[in-house]
Amino acid sequence: MTLAALLPAATWAAEPALAAAKPNVLFLLVDDLDVAVYQSGLDAGLYPHIKSLVAAGTSFSNAFVSLSICCPSRSTFFTGQYPHNHGTLRNSGKAGGFKSFKDSSTLAVWMKAGGYRTALMGKYLNGYKAEASGYVPPGWDTWNALLSLHQYDYSLTVPGGVQSHGSAPEDYQTDVLANLADSYVRTPSSQPFFLALTPSAPHLESGGEVGDDDGGDSLRPAPRHVGTPTVTLPASLLPSFNEADLSDKPKWLRQRPLTQLATQQRVFNEKRTAMRAVDDMVGKLVLALKETGQWDNTLFVFTSDNGFQYGTHRRNLTKVDFYEESIRLPMVVKAPGQRSSRVADGWSLNNDWAVTVLDYAGLQPAAGHRFDGQSLRPLLEGSGSGRRTLLVELPATGQSGGHVPFYALRSKDPALTLDPSGKKVLVFAQTENAAGSSVTDLELYDLDTDPWQVQSLHRSTESQRVQQIQLMRTRLDALKTCAADQCRSLER
């Protein structure tokens, strides 16, 4: 099926002069930014430039990722596919990291073939340094890839080699990337650009390379933001924080110790503060676009590769899970020609991002490439409602250790929830053994009555609950191996 068959006709009222030219695409993908940090900073006035972007664009109130780990999520961005189809399932190991990613047919390749100049500035995929720091993947004209997650004392690829940065204030990584992007946007060209700007903030600074995604326990702010007032950790006020009774959770989670509130709160505030430099980055780039006359004809996307947890369900500074804090994202999109703010409530996934970019660029993927996602253009134009069901997955890789595999279904489809109003949201999950050969635990949450997911209903003997589990299990079994049209049909 061609991309055109997946993309509804556009109805956005762009100015005629703008509609005739291919738009620029600036995709700002930050790392490990959860909704709580984002909203807390906005409410406190710490992110004035992001607030201005919100005022000019569309905020997605229900944006999610299909696998809440950096490398699989970024691989989904570049391919428009669920992880079970692109095959990058972890940050490392035989089914994870840079070496597992098939980079011959990606968004960068398609955009370059369509006449765009392409650039990546920031984090690429976990393990890139360890595997091949001198390798430039297909499709990228400008390649400035980070070789560590440090804000100081890091290296960045440049034409002909590697550029090292030290510990001076001007070496602060987020600012260096902002300046590179500013120069790129301001460079005159007859071609539109596709810029993937991917700072590592607000990811914790690891002790190793980019592949060490779960390492680190602190994050330094830009010097100008030192002393930003701290706040109480929002998660600490929730019933899910250091959840007292985990008897309804999978065995591996029941064994988790309580987290330390002081640590969770410190890191939350460090991330909240480090995002102020990202906000400055947004302001610098919006100004560059406006001063060069490109703002009105640029698709500007701001989002994160996954969410984050600070002690909810006793999860210590991590993501990965299917729980709301892990999979829910902040996302703002300013479409070409957009003149006012709006909110899109429809559900979106990160496998929609590549499809949406190609839609606005008027391009097709390589022959034979099949998308699992769908264009967000209807939601941006107020003419669509989005999917009613989505898959969250952590497929087994055949290796023990690390994260425990699972599949989860989030749905408001009346055919599954048995709620004719279509408003009830249920989450059903199956945890598997390391080999993926058997189901070890079930969970079922009704987000209407339990938005914090503290009381699983999977043991209920009520006839409706039993029926819901049966229906959701059947749909989940189909979705976890779906591809292309089948995925979209199962998500309706």
Side-chain angles (χ1 to χ4, degrees):
M1 175 175 286
T2 66
L3 179 63
L6 306 181
L7 307 176
T11 58
W12 188 266
E15 295 180 1
L18 299 178
K22 287 186 178 295
N24 301 306
V25 178
L26 200 165
F27 206 107
L28 177 46
L29 181 67
V30 296
D31 200 330
D32 284 10
L33 174 62
D34 56 286
V35 173
V37 163
Y38 171 79
Q39 196 60 53
S40 174
L42 278 183
D43 292 344
L46 300 182
Y47 312 148
H49 301 298
I50 295 175
K51 185 176 181 179
S52 293
L53 183 65
V54 169
T58 300
S59 295
F60 282 73
S61 59
N62 287 294
F64 302 95
V65 290
S66 54
L67 202 172
S68 184
I69 315 179
C70 295
C71 198
S73 179
R74 289 162 189 266
S75 300
T76 290
F77 166 39
F78 292 131
T79 63
Q81 295 177 326
Y82 272 119
H84 69 257
N85 286 326
H86 62 62
T88 298
L89 307 178
R90 298 291 190 278
N91 287 331
S92 60
K94 69 178 183 180
F98 164 76
K99 64 181 175 55
S100 72
F101 183 62
K102 305 172 184 66
D103 62 12
S104 61
S105 184
T106 67
L107 184 56
V109 172
W110 310 323
M111 295 294 279
K112 182 176 174 63
Y116 278 74
R117 56 187 176 110
T118 61
L120 180 135
M121 298 177 179
K123 180 178 175 180
Y124 180 46
L125 298 176
N126 301 73
Y128 171 73
K129 176 183 177 181
E131 298 298 330
S133 61
Y135 173 74
V136 178
W140 299 104
D141 298 318
T142 299
W143 185 250
N144 299 130
L146 286 171
L147 302 182
S148 77
L149 296 179
H150 301 139
Q151 287 297 329
Y152 295 106
D153 300 310
Y154 60 92
S155 297
L156 191 68
T157 61
V158 294
V162 172
Q163 182 182 82
S164 297
H165 288 268
S167 56
E170 59 269 22
D171 286 313
Y172 193 71
Q173 182 219 112
T174 304
D175 293 343
V176 169
L177 293 176
N179 290 333
L180 284 172
D182 177 76
S183 177
Y184 182 81
V185 166
R186 292 180 183 275
T187 301
S189 176
S190 59
Q191 294 177 283
F193 66 77
F194 166 54
L195 170 58
L197 182 56
T198 57
S200 69
H203 195 292
L204 295 174
E205 296 181 70
S206 73
E209 60 192 30
V210 172
D212 185 17
D213 189 67
D214 291 327
D217 62 0
S218 62
L219 174 61
R220 290 168 288 182
R224 62 189 177 277
H225 298 137
V226 171
T228 297
T230 60
V231 296
T232 299
L233 176 69
S236 68
L237 306 177
L238 302 178
S240 54
F241 183 76
N242 271 338
E243 191 171 341
D245 182 4
L246 294 178
S247 61
D248 60 326
K249 298 294 190 288
K251 181 179 180 180
W252 73 268
L253 187 53
R254 295 198 298 269
Q255 300 169 348
R256 300 294 300 177
L258 296 177
T259 63
Q260 297 298 312
L261 172 58
T263 301
Q264 312 300 313
Q265 184 157 290
R266 173 182 58 79
V267 169
F268 178 87
N269 279 288
E270 288 178 351
K271 292 175 65 137
R272 182 173 173 266
T273 302
M275 276 299 299
R276 297 188 68 181
V278 175
D279 181 73
D280 291 340
M281 172 187 279
V282 171
K284 180 183 283 285
L285 293 173
V286 170
L287 179 63
L289 290 167
K290 289 182 176 179
E291 289 184 345
T292 56
Q294 301 178 91
W295 171 249
D296 282 333
N297 198 34
T298 296
L299 176 69
F300 195 124
V301 181
F302 171 82
T303 190
S304 174
D305 57 358
N306 46 250
F308 207 72
Q309 290 175 254
Y310 308 88
T312 50
H313 314 295
R314 301 191 194 179
R315 298 291 279 141
N316 179 43
L317 304 178
T318 190
K319 52 259 186 174
V320 184
D321 304 333
F322 66 86
Y323 300 122
E324 291 286 291
E325 299 90 346
S326 275
I327 66 171
R328 186 180 282 275
L329 308 172
M331 185 165 77
V332 184
V333 181
K334 198 285 296 180
Q338 186 166 359
R339 295 290 185 271
S340 59
S341 66
R342 62 186 314 273
V343 175
D345 293 327
W347 294 5
S348 69
L349 267 176
N350 54 339
N351 61 21
D352 299 331
W353 299 346
V355 192
T356 304
V357 169
L358 287 184
D359 185 0
Y360 277 98
L363 298 177
Q364 301 282 344
H369 187 93
R370 300 196 299 168
F371 288 122
D372 300 329
Q374 53 195 284
S375 177
L376 298 176
R377 195 164 184 168
L379 291 177
L380 287 164
E381 296 169 353
S383 61
S385 57
R387 55 174 59 76
R388 295 188 297 185
T389 301
L390 59 84
L391 171 70
V392 184
E393 61 179 346
L394 186 67
T397 63
Q399 294 177 309
S400 60
H403 303 296
V404 178
F406 67 81
Y407 289 94
L409 193 70
R410 192 182 196 278
S411 184
K412 57 181 177 180
D413 183 353
L416 303 179
T417 66
L418 306 179
D419 171 35
S421 73
K423 296 180 180 179
K424 180 180 291 294
V425 178
L426 297 180
V427 177
F428 172 71
Q430 295 182 164
T431 298
E432 299 184 346
N433 63 1
S437 58
S438 65
V439 174
T440 61
D441 297 276
L442 301 180
E443 292 170 81
L444 176 68
Y445 300 100
D446 185 333
L447 298 191
D448 288 350
T449 59
D450 181 18
W452 308 283
Q453 296 169 288
V454 296
Q455 184 58 57
S456 176
L457 303 170
H458 68 279
R459 297 192 186 101
S460 173
T461 58
E462 294 181 12
S463 60
Q464 186 179 68
R465 294 300 185 196
V466 172
Q467 187 177 3
Q468 287 169 340
I469 288 176
Q470 292 173 338
L471 292 168
M472 296 193 78
R473 187 197 295 269
T474 299
R475 183 73 64 89
L476 179 60
D477 286 344
L479 264 173
K480 66 184 185 181
T481 58
C482 74
D485 291 350
Q486 183 188 18
C487 295
R488 292 184 292 277
S489 177
L490 292 167
E491 291 172 341
R492 287 176 186 156

